[in-house]
Amino acid sequence: MKILIVEDEPKTGDYLRQGLAEAGFVVDLARDGWDGLELAKDSHHDLLILDVMLPGLDGWQVLDGVRRAGLDTPVLFLTARDQVEDRVKGLELGADDYLVKPFAFAELLARVRSLARRGRTGLEPTRLQVADLELDLLRRRASRAGQRVDLTAKEFALLELFMRRTGEVLPRSLIASQVWDMNFDSDTNVIDVAVRRLRLKVDEGHDHKLIHTVRGMGYVLEAAQP
Ligand code: CA
């Protein structure tokens, strides 16, 4: 899942970018309203996090530009100004949620997960299942045959991608862009290593393997043997 943060305060922007990246999101960061609006229009994001007070365009103007461009990406506003009229104005313009600075990162993360999920289909399942493998998207837990599988944030993101696209052969380039925000030119060994680790955790000790290598093409997760 990809998030765009528009925040001019360097410390806050870097802190958010790092925290969300560690939580398994792919993150773009813009430092002013113009760049933010350009980035929002140029590439797909599952969620926008907009500071209100920004150089160039303010957060409301960015939101307005995004909606005028026909994008219904969910928007979370960050505002230092805890005033009722600000909230009303933002909500009228189509913001989905608010967070007043200063906020706890855990609070932000909870809102981000809820908004990013809501944004995709409106009726997003909170659990994914393939054979006896289950992924609980709310609790961020994986289990196989009822046994908990401990995953890092990246492994969770990788498994979520595989399970959402069950039966589809995913090229390394696609995995790289969706989970690591890398180009195919980057070191794709990272992907092979991560898939191998994930496979050890998911398939080791089970007769029925779910994650498969498709030579020359990529990887696929499926219940039936390809
Ligand atoms: Ca600001």
Side-chain angles (χ1 to χ4, degrees), residues 16-40:
L16 289 177
R17 173 163 58 186
Q18 189 184 342
L20 290 170
E22 282 169 3
F25 294 98
V26 171
V27 184
D28 283 338
L29 174 62
R31 307 279 188 184
D32 66 52
W34 289 114
D35 283 353
L37 181 56
E38 283 310 301
L39 265 172

PDB file of all heavy atoms in Angstrom, residues 16-40:
ATOM      1  N   LEU A  16       7.403  10.615  10.085  1.00  0.00           N
ATOM      2  CA  LEU A  16       6.249   9.898   9.541  1.00  0.00           C
ATOM      3  C   LEU A  16       6.673   8.919   8.454  1.00  0.00           C
ATOM      4  O   LEU A  16       6.212   7.785   8.396  1.00  0.00           O
ATOM      5  CB  LEU A  16       5.228  10.881   8.962  1.00  0.00           C
ATOM      6  CG  LEU A  16       4.451  11.723   9.971  1.00  0.00           C
ATOM      7  CD1 LEU A  16       3.533  12.686   9.237  1.00  0.00           C
ATOM      8  CD2 LEU A  16       3.646  10.818  10.888  1.00  0.00           C
ATOM      9  N   ARG A  17       7.564   9.402   7.584  1.00  0.00           N
ATOM     10  CA  ARG A  17       8.010   8.539   6.484  1.00  0.00           C
ATOM     11  C   ARG A  17       8.670   7.277   7.024  1.00  0.00           C
ATOM     12  O   ARG A  17       8.362   6.173   6.601  1.00  0.00           O
ATOM     13  CB  ARG A  17       9.000   9.285   5.580  1.00  0.00           C
ATOM     14  CG  ARG A  17       9.618   8.360   4.529  1.00  0.00           C
ATOM     15  CD  ARG A  17      10.267   9.088   3.402  1.00  0.00           C
ATOM     16  NE  ARG A  17      11.318   9.976   3.869  1.00  0.00           N
ATOM     17  CZ  ARG A  17      11.969  10.823   3.080  1.00  0.00           C
ATOM     18  NH1 ARG A  17      11.681  10.897   1.808  1.00  0.00           N
ATOM     19  NH2 ARG A  17      12.915  11.589   3.575  1.00  0.00           N
ATOM     20  N   GLN A  18       9.559   7.473   7.995  1.00  0.00           N
ATOM     21  CA  GLN A  18      10.266   6.322   8.541  1.00  0.00           C
ATOM     22  C   GLN A  18       9.317   5.366   9.268  1.00  0.00           C
ATOM     23  O   GLN A  18       9.355   4.152   9.066  1.00  0.00           O
ATOM     24  CB  GLN A  18      11.359   6.802   9.497  1.00  0.00           C
ATOM     25  CG  GLN A  18      12.262   5.658   9.932  1.00  0.00           C
ATOM     26  CD  GLN A  18      13.299   6.099  10.957  1.00  0.00           C
ATOM     27  OE1 GLN A  18      13.569   7.300  11.115  1.00  0.00           O
ATOM     28  NE2 GLN A  18      13.878   5.127  11.632  1.00  0.00           N
ATOM     29  N   GLY A  19       8.447   5.936  10.091  1.00  0.00           N
ATOM     30  CA  GLY A  19       7.526   5.098  10.861  1.00  0.00           C
ATOM     31  C   GLY A  19       6.594   4.291   9.976  1.00  0.00           C
ATOM     32  O   GLY A  19       6.381   3.094  10.185  1.00  0.00           O
ATOM     33  N   LEU A  20       6.067   4.934   8.942  1.00  0.00           N
ATOM     34  CA  LEU A  20       5.130   4.234   8.055  1.00  0.00           C
ATOM     35  C   LEU A  20       5.860   3.210   7.188  1.00  0.00           C
ATOM     36  O   LEU A  20       5.332   2.139   6.904  1.00  0.00           O
ATOM     37  CB  LEU A  20       4.367   5.238   7.192  1.00  0.00           C
ATOM     38  CG  LEU A  20       3.352   6.088   7.969  1.00  0.00           C
ATOM     39  CD1 LEU A  20       2.808   7.215   7.106  1.00  0.00           C
ATOM     40  CD2 LEU A  20       2.207   5.215   8.493  1.00  0.00           C
ATOM     41  N   ALA A  21       7.099   3.531   6.794  1.00  0.00           N
ATOM     42  CA  ALA A  21       7.887   2.568   6.017  1.00  0.00           C
ATOM     43  C   ALA A  21       8.174   1.333   6.875  1.00  0.00           C
ATOM     44  O   ALA A  21       8.069   0.198   6.416  1.00  0.00           O
ATOM     45  CB  ALA A  21       9.187   3.201   5.524  1.00  0.00           C
ATOM     46  N   GLU A  22       8.505   1.560   8.139  1.00  0.00           N
ATOM     47  CA  GLU A  22       8.767   0.422   9.036  1.00  0.00           C
ATOM     48  C   GLU A  22       7.510  -0.394   9.269  1.00  0.00           C
ATOM     49  O   GLU A  22       7.578  -1.587   9.551  1.00  0.00           O
ATOM     50  CB  GLU A  22       9.328   0.914  10.378  1.00  0.00           C
ATOM     51  CG  GLU A  22      10.799   1.277  10.268  1.00  0.00           C
ATOM     52  CD  GLU A  22      11.320   2.014  11.503  1.00  0.00           C
ATOM     53  OE1 GLU A  22      10.553   2.188  12.457  1.00  0.00           O
ATOM     54  OE2 GLU A  22      12.497   2.421  11.466  1.00  0.00           O
ATOM     55  N   ALA A  23       6.351   0.240   9.151  1.00  0.00           N
ATOM     56  CA  ALA A  23       5.086  -0.485   9.324  1.00  0.00           C
ATOM     57  C   ALA A  23       4.687  -1.212   8.035  1.00  0.00           C
ATOM     58  O   ALA A  23       3.626  -1.816   7.966  1.00  0.00           O
ATOM     59  CB  ALA A  23       3.984   0.481   9.746  1.00  0.00           C
ATOM     60  N   GLY A  24       5.538  -1.113   6.996  1.00  0.00           N
ATOM     61  CA  GLY A  24       5.299  -1.903   5.792  1.00  0.00           C
ATOM     62  C   GLY A  24       4.660  -1.141   4.640  1.00  0.00           C
ATOM     63  O   GLY A  24       4.328  -1.734   3.620  1.00  0.00           O
ATOM     64  N   PHE A  25       4.489   0.180   4.787  1.00  0.00           N
ATOM     65  CA  PHE A  25       3.912   0.957   3.690  1.00  0.00           C
ATOM     66  C   PHE A  25       5.016   1.475   2.774  1.00  0.00           C
ATOM     67  O   PHE A  25       6.146   1.667   3.202  1.00  0.00           O
ATOM     68  CB  PHE A  25       3.128   2.155   4.231  1.00  0.00           C
ATOM     69  CG  PHE A  25       1.900   1.766   5.014  1.00  0.00           C
ATOM     70  CD1 PHE A  25       1.925   1.703   6.391  1.00  0.00           C
ATOM     71  CD2 PHE A  25       0.729   1.452   4.353  1.00  0.00           C
ATOM     72  CE1 PHE A  25       0.800   1.339   7.110  1.00  0.00           C
ATOM     73  CE2 PHE A  25      -0.406   1.084   5.065  1.00  0.00           C
ATOM     74  CZ  PHE A  25      -0.374   1.026   6.436  1.00  0.00           C
ATOM     75  N   VAL A  26       4.658   1.705   1.531  1.00  0.00           N
ATOM     76  CA  VAL A  26       5.544   2.404   0.609  1.00  0.00           C
ATOM     77  C   VAL A  26       5.168   3.881   0.714  1.00  0.00           C
ATOM     78  O   VAL A  26       3.991   4.226   0.638  1.00  0.00           O
ATOM     79  CB  VAL A  26       5.353   1.886  -0.832  1.00  0.00           C
ATOM     80  CG1 VAL A  26       6.106   2.760  -1.819  1.00  0.00           C
ATOM     81  CG2 VAL A  26       5.819   0.435  -0.922  1.00  0.00           C
ATOM     82  N   VAL A  27       6.162   4.744   0.936  1.00  0.00           N
ATOM     83  CA  VAL A  27       5.850   6.128   1.287  1.00  0.00           C
ATOM     84  C   VAL A  27       6.506   7.132   0.343  1.00  0.00           C
ATOM     85  O   VAL A  27       7.699   7.047   0.068  1.00  0.00           O
ATOM     86  CB  VAL A  27       6.325   6.433   2.738  1.00  0.00           C
ATOM     87  CG1 VAL A  27       5.919   7.847   3.130  1.00  0.00           C
ATOM     88  CG2 VAL A  27       5.751   5.429   3.721  1.00  0.00           C
ATOM     89  N   ASP A  28       5.717   8.075  -0.155  1.00  0.00           N
ATOM     90  CA  ASP A  28       6.244   9.253  -0.859  1.00  0.00           C
ATOM     91  C   ASP A  28       6.097  10.436   0.085  1.00  0.00           C
ATOM     92  O   ASP A  28       5.120  10.525   0.820  1.00  0.00           O
ATOM     93  CB  ASP A  28       5.425   9.558  -2.125  1.00  0.00           C
ATOM     94  CG  ASP A  28       5.761   8.608  -3.271  1.00  0.00           C
ATOM     95  OD1 ASP A  28       6.855   8.017  -3.251  1.00  0.00           O
ATOM     96  OD2 ASP A  28       4.915   8.466  -4.179  1.00  0.00           O
ATOM     97  N   LEU A  29       7.072  11.357   0.013  1.00  0.00           N
ATOM     98  CA  LEU A  29       7.015  12.541   0.877  1.00  0.00           C
ATOM     99  C   LEU A  29       7.204  13.789   0.035  1.00  0.00           C
ATOM    100  O   LEU A  29       8.168  13.886  -0.726  1.00  0.00           O
ATOM    101  CB  LEU A  29       8.105  12.443   1.952  1.00  0.00           C
ATOM    102  CG  LEU A  29       8.293  13.656   2.878  1.00  0.00           C
ATOM    103  CD1 LEU A  29       7.043  13.946   3.699  1.00  0.00           C
ATOM    104  CD2 LEU A  29       9.480  13.410   3.821  1.00  0.00           C
ATOM    105  N   ALA A  30       6.267  14.723   0.142  1.00  0.00           N
ATOM    106  CA  ALA A  30       6.411  16.021  -0.519  1.00  0.00           C
ATOM    107  C   ALA A  30       6.506  17.085   0.564  1.00  0.00           C
ATOM    108  O   ALA A  30       5.880  16.964   1.610  1.00  0.00           O
ATOM    109  CB  ALA A  30       5.216  16.290  -1.433  1.00  0.00           C
ATOM    110  N   ARG A  31       7.309  18.131   0.291  1.00  0.00           N
ATOM    111  CA  ARG A  31       7.565  19.148   1.327  1.00  0.00           C
ATOM    112  C   ARG A  31       6.747  20.414   1.134  1.00  0.00           C
ATOM    113  O   ARG A  31       6.807  21.317   1.937  1.00  0.00           O
ATOM    114  CB  ARG A  31       9.047  19.522   1.334  1.00  0.00           C
ATOM    115  CG  ARG A  31      10.000  18.338   1.441  1.00  0.00           C
ATOM    116  CD  ARG A  31      10.140  17.874   2.870  1.00  0.00           C
ATOM    117  NE  ARG A  31      11.206  16.866   2.986  1.00  0.00           N
ATOM    118  CZ  ARG A  31      11.503  16.224   4.101  1.00  0.00           C
ATOM    119  NH1 ARG A  31      10.818  16.478   5.198  1.00  0.00           N
ATOM    120  NH2 ARG A  31      12.455  15.327   4.137  1.00  0.00           N
ATOM    121  N   ASP A  32       6.039  20.520   0.027  1.00  0.00           N
ATOM    122  CA  ASP A  32       5.141  21.674  -0.114  1.00  0.00           C
ATOM    123  C   ASP A  32       3.904  21.274  -0.916  1.00  0.00           C
ATOM    124  O   ASP A  32       3.825  20.166  -1.462  1.00  0.00           O
ATOM    125  CB  ASP A  32       5.866  22.874  -0.769  1.00  0.00           C
ATOM    126  CG  ASP A  32       6.269  22.605  -2.209  1.00  0.00           C
ATOM    127  OD1 ASP A  32       5.404  22.195  -3.020  1.00  0.00           O
ATOM    128  OD2 ASP A  32       7.459  22.801  -2.536  1.00  0.00           O
ATOM    129  N   GLY A  33       2.950  22.183  -0.951  1.00  0.00           N
ATOM    130  CA  GLY A  33       1.656  21.868  -1.549  1.00  0.00           C
ATOM    131  C   GLY A  33       1.707  21.595  -3.044  1.00  0.00           C
ATOM    132  O   GLY A  33       1.029  20.696  -3.542  1.00  0.00           O
ATOM    133  N   TRP A  34       2.521  22.345  -3.767  1.00  0.00           N
ATOM    134  CA  TRP A  34       2.605  22.144  -5.221  1.00  0.00           C
ATOM    135  C   TRP A  34       3.144  20.762  -5.547  1.00  0.00           C
ATOM    136  O   TRP A  34       2.562  20.028  -6.347  1.00  0.00           O
ATOM    137  CB  TRP A  34       3.516  23.193  -5.872  1.00  0.00           C
ATOM    138  CG  TRP A  34       2.934  24.579  -5.887  1.00  0.00           C
ATOM    139  CD1 TRP A  34       3.387  25.673  -5.213  1.00  0.00           C
ATOM    140  CD2 TRP A  34       1.777  25.012  -6.627  1.00  0.00           C
ATOM    141  NE1 TRP A  34       2.585  26.753  -5.469  1.00  0.00           N
ATOM    142  CE2 TRP A  34       1.599  26.383  -6.333  1.00  0.00           C
ATOM    143  CE3 TRP A  34       0.879  24.372  -7.489  1.00  0.00           C
ATOM    144  CZ2 TRP A  34       0.551  27.133  -6.881  1.00  0.00           C
ATOM    145  CZ3 TRP A  34      -0.155  25.115  -8.027  1.00  0.00           C
ATOM    146  CH2 TRP A  34      -0.308  26.480  -7.725  1.00  0.00           C
ATOM    147  N   ASP A  35       4.284  20.403  -4.914  1.00  0.00           N
ATOM    148  CA  ASP A  35       4.855  19.078  -5.149  1.00  0.00           C
ATOM    149  C   ASP A  35       3.871  17.986  -4.738  1.00  0.00           C
ATOM    150  O   ASP A  35       3.744  16.961  -5.409  1.00  0.00           O
ATOM    151  CB  ASP A  35       6.149  18.893  -4.337  1.00  0.00           C
ATOM    152  CG  ASP A  35       7.317  19.612  -4.977  1.00  0.00           C
ATOM    153  OD1 ASP A  35       7.140  20.137  -6.100  1.00  0.00           O
ATOM    154  OD2 ASP A  35       8.392  19.660  -4.356  1.00  0.00           O
ATOM    155  N   GLY A  36       3.193  18.238  -3.617  1.00  0.00           N
ATOM    156  CA  GLY A  36       2.239  17.256  -3.122  1.00  0.00           C
ATOM    157  C   GLY A  36       1.137  16.986  -4.128  1.00  0.00           C
ATOM    158  O   GLY A  36       0.810  15.838  -4.429  1.00  0.00           O
ATOM    159  N   LEU A  37       0.594  18.063  -4.682  1.00  0.00           N
ATOM    160  CA  LEU A  37      -0.503  17.905  -5.644  1.00  0.00           C
ATOM    161  C   LEU A  37       0.001  17.199  -6.910  1.00  0.00           C
ATOM    162  O   LEU A  37      -0.675  16.308  -7.438  1.00  0.00           O
ATOM    163  CB  LEU A  37      -1.096  19.275  -5.995  1.00  0.00           C
ATOM    164  CG  LEU A  37      -2.283  19.259  -6.974  1.00  0.00           C
ATOM    165  CD1 LEU A  37      -3.409  18.366  -6.462  1.00  0.00           C
ATOM    166  CD2 LEU A  37      -2.797  20.674  -7.217  1.00  0.00           C
ATOM    167  N   GLU A  38       1.188  17.580  -7.379  1.00  0.00           N
ATOM    168  CA  GLU A  38       1.752  16.935  -8.567  1.00  0.00           C
ATOM    169  C   GLU A  38       1.917  15.437  -8.336  1.00  0.00           C
ATOM    170  O   GLU A  38       1.514  14.614  -9.162  1.00  0.00           O
ATOM    171  CB  GLU A  38       3.118  17.551  -8.924  1.00  0.00           C
ATOM    172  CG  GLU A  38       3.019  18.899  -9.605  1.00  0.00           C
ATOM    173  CD  GLU A  38       2.033  18.889 -10.780  1.00  0.00           C
ATOM    174  OE1 GLU A  38       2.238  18.093 -11.711  1.00  0.00           O
ATOM    175  OE2 GLU A  38       1.052  19.661 -10.745  1.00  0.00           O
ATOM    176  N   LEU A  39       2.537  15.092  -7.206  1.00  0.00           N
ATOM    177  CA  LEU A  39       2.767  13.673  -6.901  1.00  0.00           C
ATOM    178  C   LEU A  39       1.450  12.911  -6.778  1.00  0.00           C
ATOM    179  O   LEU A  39       1.316  11.782  -7.247  1.00  0.00           O
ATOM    180  CB  LEU A  39       3.530  13.539  -5.586  1.00  0.00           C
ATOM    181  CG  LEU A  39       5.047  13.406  -5.679  1.00  0.00           C
ATOM    182  CD1 LEU A  39       5.665  13.489  -4.272  1.00  0.00           C
ATOM    183  CD2 LEU A  39       5.420  12.065  -6.316  1.00  0.00           C
ATOM    184  N   ALA A  40       0.476  13.547  -6.150  1.00  0.00           N
ATOM    185  CA  ALA A  40      -0.823  12.891  -5.959  1.00  0.00           C
ATOM    186  C   ALA A  40      -1.472  12.598  -7.308  1.00  0.00           C
ATOM    187  O   ALA A  40      -2.111  11.571  -7.495  1.00  0.00           O
ATOM    188  CB  ALA A  40      -1.742  13.760  -5.104  1.00  0.00           C
TER     189      ALA A  40
END
